[in-house]
């Protein structure tokens, strides 16, 4: 850490970069950070000069992160999330009056749905410390020490009460630049290429092979060209234009709205499983956990 300040760019510039990539917009990042668009542009220019590489491919009213930029921002996002959790822990440790509620969910749901909404959750429950625990193994799902869980699949769940469920649909997604190279999206899906898949042992998450069957698409190719162990990485690869991924609507809705992903073709499949919002049978949060569970269910 001796040469940290000398070797690492401005923290303000790194925070600005993460916001720009997340929003795919200088204007929206400026609004979030409470500064002007020109200030955001200056921070990015200074950062590019410091690193000695371009971080964006600038088009007409579009900005596309370079591969190096995506690698950097992936680490920044995780680091900022870790810092936020530690800072929250330190603050709360000095405020014993605060109620702690532990939310357990998959890494994909935590990263893509819950983390972007933590600010709203804190505003609604200002005297509650949110502890987020993520995992991807359903076999290990246990409500011990957990107040609320959000889990994709089918009940039953040990020591948990299902407050409500939310169905989902799955369809093909890719980057706008990838879509521009596909003349007929539905025809493309009949002879696909560049398939990206989430390598998950929980087969309640569809594989491309199962999705093609459920969608009624006859194709000889069902094996992925790229397999990644984390669903957030799958979407990051798709956003970078590396291929086509399966998009669970609940998890990709924000990316569709900000334009970093778009649907490819009209086919979609209704999931056999669903998102289950679960509370512990042993309520130690004095009703706060159930209130948070209901808020999650209403916003899914």
């Amino acid at each position: 850490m001796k040469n940290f300040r000398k070797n690492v760019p401005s923290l303000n510039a790194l925070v600005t970069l993460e916001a720009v990539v997340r929003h795919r917009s200088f204007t929206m990042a400026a609004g979030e950070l409470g500064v002007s668009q020109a200030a955001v542009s200056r921070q990015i220019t200074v950062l590019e000069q410091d690193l000695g590489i371009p971080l964006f491919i600038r088009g007409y009213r579009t900005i596309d992160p370079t591969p190096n930029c995506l690698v950097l921002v992936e680490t920044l996002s995780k680091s900022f999330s870790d810092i936020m959790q530690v800072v929250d822990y330190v603050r709360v440790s000095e405020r014993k009056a605060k109620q702690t509620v532990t939310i357990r969910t998959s890494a994909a749901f935590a990263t893509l749905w819950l983390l972007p909404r933590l600010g709203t959750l804190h505003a609604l429950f200002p005297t509650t410390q949110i502890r987020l625990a993520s995992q991807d193994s359903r076999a290990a799902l246990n409500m011990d020490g957990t107040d609320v869980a959000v889990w994709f699949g089918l009940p039953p769940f040990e020591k948990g009460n299902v407050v409500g469920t939310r169905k989902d649909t799955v369809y093909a997604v890719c980057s706008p630049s990838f879509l521009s190279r596909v003349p007929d999206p539905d025809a493309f899906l009949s002879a696909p290429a560049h398939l990206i898949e989430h390598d998950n042992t929980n087969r309640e998450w569809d594989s491309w092979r199962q999705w093609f069957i459920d969608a009624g698409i006859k194709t000889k190719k069902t094996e992925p060209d790229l397999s990644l162990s984390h669903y957030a990485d799958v979407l990051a690869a798709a956003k970078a234009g590396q291929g086509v991924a399966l998009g669970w609507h609940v998890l990709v809705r924000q990316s569709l709205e900000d334009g970093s992903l778009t649907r490819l073709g009209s086919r979609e499949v209704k999931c056999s499983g669903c998102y289950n919002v679960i509370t512990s049978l042993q309520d130690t949060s004095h009703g706060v956990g159930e209130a948070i569970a209901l808020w999650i269910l209403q916003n899914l």
Side-chain angles (χ1 to χ4, degrees):
M1 297 296 289
K2 181 179 179 181
N3 297 319
F4 181 85
R5 292 186 64 182
K6 183 183 297 184
N7 295 331
V8 176
S10 158
L11 181 58
N12 284 340
L14 295 176
V15 170
T16 301
L17 176 65
E18 190 277 336
V20 170
V21 172
R22 177 157 41 81
H23 289 293
R24 292 300 196 277
S25 167
F26 280 33
T27 302
M28 293 178 68
E32 177 182 307
L33 298 172
V35 299
S36 67
Q37 182 179 344
V40 169
S41 182
R42 283 196 299 271
Q43 289 276 21
I44 297 302
T45 299
V46 169
L47 187 56
E48 288 178 324
Q49 292 172 348
D50 190 341
L51 295 174
I53 59 171
L55 294 171
F56 295 95
I57 300 171
R58 294 164 172 83
Y60 179 68
R61 293 185 178 179
T62 62
I63 53 168
D64 292 312
T66 63
N68 281 333
C69 178
L70 289 171
V71 170
L72 175 58
V73 169
E74 182 180 359
T75 299
L76 288 176
S77 297
K78 184 180 185 305
S79 299
F80 291 158
S81 175
D82 289 344
I83 291 170
M84 182 177 67
Q85 290 188 43
V86 172
V87 168
D88 282 347
Y89 170 79
V90 171
R91 283 173 174 162
V92 173
S93 67
E94 296 299 320
R95 300 173 187 174
K96 296 181 180 179
K98 281 202 170 188
Q99 175 71 53
T100 300
V101 171
T102 297
I103 304 175
R104 186 175 299 278
T105 187
S106 68
F109 189 87
T111 301
L112 299 169
W113 194 94
L114 193 52
L115 280 176
R117 293 168 174 81
L118 273 186
T120 302
L121 198 57
H122 279 303
L124 290 171
F125 301 91
T127 61
T128 301
Q129 178 198 6
I130 305 298
R131 176 178 176 270
L132 184 57
S134 61
Q135 64 177 81
D136 280 326
S137 172
R138 183 176 187 266
L141 177 61
N142 191 316
M143 294 300 292
D144 289 341
T146 300
D147 299 291
V148 180
V150 183
W151 211 251
F152 188 87
L154 295 171
F157 299 97
E158 182 182 355
K159 298 182 182 179
N161 173 54
V162 178
V163 176
T165 61
R166 165 73 155 81
K167 285 287 189 178
D168 205 357
T169 55
V170 184
Y171 40 75
V173 296
C174 63
S175 69
S177 61
F178 188 95
L179 181 64
S180 68
R181 302 193 298 271
V182 180
D184 185 339
D186 285 321
F188 175 88
L189 289 173
S190 297
H194 307 292
L195 299 180
I196 309 171
E197 185 172 283
H198 179 202
D199 182 15
N200 191 347
T201 55
N202 181 0
R203 286 284 54 118
E204 287 165 346
W205 285 71
D206 286 347
S207 62
W208 271 111
R209 179 190 297 275
Q210 187 60 49
W211 186 86
F212 281 124
I213 294 172
D214 294 342
I217 299 175
K218 294 183 179 180
T219 176
K220 293 181 179 179
K221 176 179 173 57
T222 60
E223 295 302 316
D225 299 282
L226 177 62
S227 182
L228 299 168
S229 58
H230 296 290
Y231 185 60
D233 294 341
V234 170
L235 295 187
K239 290 177 183 180
Q242 295 178 16
V244 186
L246 288 174
W248 274 255
H249 180 71
V250 166
L251 301 183
V252 303
R253 182 171 55 205
Q254 185 170 339
S255 295
L256 296 177
E257 291 173 354
D258 66 27
S260 57
L261 285 176
T262 186
R263 289 187 59 164
L264 189 148
S266 58
R267 298 293 185 93
E268 63 181 31
V269 171
K270 293 188 182 298
C271 298
S272 56
C274 57
Y275 297 95
N276 300 268
V277 182
I278 310 160
T279 56
S280 173
L281 295 178
Q282 299 177 341
D283 182 15
T284 60
S285 67
H286 307 289
V288 179
E290 184 172 359
I292 290 176
L294 290 172
W295 178 85
I296 293 173
L297 183 63
Q298 290 167 2
N299 288 276
L300 275 178

